[in-house]
Amino acid sequence: MDRWTELELLAKTAELGSLSRAAEALGMSNPAATRYLSSLEDRLGVRLVERSTRRLYFTEIGREYVERTKAILQDAKESDSAAQASNVKPTGTLRITASLSFSILHIAPLIPEYTRLYPDVSVHVETANRYLDIIDNSIDLAVRTREYENDSSITIRRLAETRRILTASPEYLRLNGAPECPEQLLEHKILNYTLSKNYRELKFTRCDETSTVAVDGLMESNDGQVLRTAALSGLGILVQPKYIVYDDVKAGRLIPVLDQWDLPRLTINLAYPSRKHLSAKVRTFIDLLTGTFREKDYERLWTN
């Protein structure tokens, strides 16, 4: 028997003073109500209700049990209300994970506006260049540059596409010159991001042409900001998604190299535990993030 229904039936019987009226209120037949009550008493090994053809009354232990049952049901009702409210009004802690570069450039700048709009939400940002397990780490929202999740229950939503480009500082290019074809990269100092797939092999395309170059980096790192800083100081040619170096290129701090050639592009995705019953705190942050990307036209800027 369903224990929750047993408790509801008992509380409703005490409220209405009748098992049959309680059954009617809960949408069950009288025989079913009798079975539920008998099942509860059998499980507890006590008599909760005395009933005859003329009347029904609770035993002393039955009255005590009803009071406890009412408290349990009230707590459950309040818990339901709180959960439903959280799906309407953003509350609690929003846990986000993204790479350090994405967090610096596109998560942190949104947090002041987000917390102004939703002051009952606190934000925890877990920067990680490797993909944290969403469920094991209680993550509400992850930003990924991969198009799949090992867990099929995870929802993936496309945010934007970005080119991967090569850039170098004006000082580096002044001293070393710029490569005129992919093969000339072998004569240059390369700054490699070690978490890229096959990071020591660069596969270029240009119209119908293809070129694959195996490169050993002068410097390698698992963090894009470390490599970006090295490139700005003139150490070598950087290979990174355009979203990381866009502002530097625009300001002239870094110069695109072999820009007429394309490397495989990256898709930036959002990943979260479930599309169904998405909490208000997650939904509202996704809305703010995607709205900002549309407003600033990032995908067009990053794919040109």
Side-chain angles (χ1 to χ4, degrees):
M1 287 286 184
D2 181 358
R3 293 188 179 185
W4 190 254
T5 302
E6 292 174 351
L7 297 182
E8 287 186 309
L9 175 65
L10 189 70
K12 187 63 71 174
T13 299
E15 176 189 341
L16 300 177
S18 166
L19 184 62
S20 61
R21 286 201 292 270
E24 182 180 2
L26 295 175
M28 67 175 68
S29 66
N30 287 339
T34 299
R35 288 195 299 271
Y36 272 110
L37 182 55
S38 296
S39 172
L40 176 59
E41 291 178 327
D42 290 345
R43 181 166 55 81
L44 297 174
V46 297
R47 190 75 165 173
L48 300 174
V49 178
E50 296 290 354
R51 53 244 193 228
S52 67
T53 55
R54 298 180 59 186
R55 69 189 190 95
L56 172 148
Y57 65 90
F58 282 81
T59 64
E60 181 179 357
I61 193 169
R63 289 193 296 273
E64 294 176 359
Y65 193 79
V66 164
E67 291 307 311
R68 291 176 182 271
T69 296
K70 288 179 179 178
I72 292 170
L73 293 173
Q74 182 61 32
D75 285 346
K77 183 178 179 181
E78 291 173 0
S79 295
D80 286 351
S81 297
Q84 290 166 351
S86 71
N87 201 38
V88 176
K89 181 182 178 182
T91 58
T93 300
L94 175 64
R95 292 179 58 83
I96 303 170
T97 186
S99 69
L100 178 61
S101 293
F102 194 92
S103 297
I104 290 171
L105 295 170
H106 298 293
I107 298 296
L110 290 184
I111 292 176
E113 174 67 5
Y114 182 78
T115 54
R116 184 189 68 79
L117 293 170
Y118 308 107
D120 293 330
V121 179
S122 59
V123 182
H124 176 98
V125 180
E126 190 77 20
T127 61
N129 293 324
R130 292 193 180 275
Y131 298 130
L132 297 178
D133 185 280
I134 290 177
I135 304 302
D136 289 349
N137 291 278
S138 301
I139 299 297
D140 295 306
L141 179 65
V143 182
R144 314 284 215 198
T145 53
R146 67 179 181 184
E147 299 184 6
Y148 70 93
E149 292 291 329
N150 295 325
D151 188 339
S152 61
S153 69
I154 302 299
T155 296
I156 299 174
R157 175 174 173 179
R158 184 183 183 280
L159 180 62
E161 186 178 77
T162 180
R163 291 182 67 198
R164 292 167 62 225
I165 64 172
L166 284 71
T167 58
S169 70
E171 179 67 7
Y172 175 87
L173 295 176
R174 183 182 68 81
L175 293 174
N176 299 278
E180 297 181 358
C181 64
E183 290 74 19
Q184 289 185 5
L185 288 173
L186 298 175
E187 304 167 11
H188 286 267
K189 302 168 184 177
I190 307 300
L191 309 179
N192 267 339
Y193 181 61
T194 59
L195 297 183
S196 291
K197 186 177 180 181
N198 298 326
Y199 66 92
R200 287 179 176 163
E201 185 178 79
L202 300 178
K203 296 183 177 181
F204 293 91
T205 59
R206 183 179 64 178
C207 298
D208 294 332
E209 295 181 78
T210 62
S211 178
T212 300
V213 180
V215 293
D216 288 324
L218 170 68
M219 176 181 175
E220 296 180 343
S221 176
N222 66 347
D223 187 83
Q225 290 302 313
V226 171
L227 296 170
R228 171 182 167 270
T229 300
L232 289 169
S233 69
L235 187 60
I237 296 177
L238 176 66
V239 185
Q240 280 286 278
K242 192 172 182 179
Y243 83 82
I244 292 179
V245 297
Y246 178 80
D247 288 341
D248 294 317
V249 170
K250 187 176 180 181
R253 294 186 293 267
L254 292 175
I255 308 298
V257 173
L258 299 174
D259 200 37
Q260 70 275 25
W261 290 85
D262 262 330
L263 290 168
R265 298 186 177 192
L266 295 177
T267 300
I268 304 171
N269 292 308
L270 304 179
Y272 42 92
S274 175
R275 186 186 301 274
K276 188 177 182 181
H277 305 312
L278 191 63
S279 68
K281 63 184 179 182
V282 177
R283 185 177 64 250
T284 49
F285 191 85
I286 289 175
D287 288 345
L288 180 60
L289 180 60
T290 56
T292 300
F293 267 55
R294 285 194 302 271
E295 178 185 342
K296 294 185 179 295
D297 203 12
Y298 280 140
E299 183 168 43
R300 181 184 64 80
L301 297 176
W302 297 344
T303 54
N304 284 341

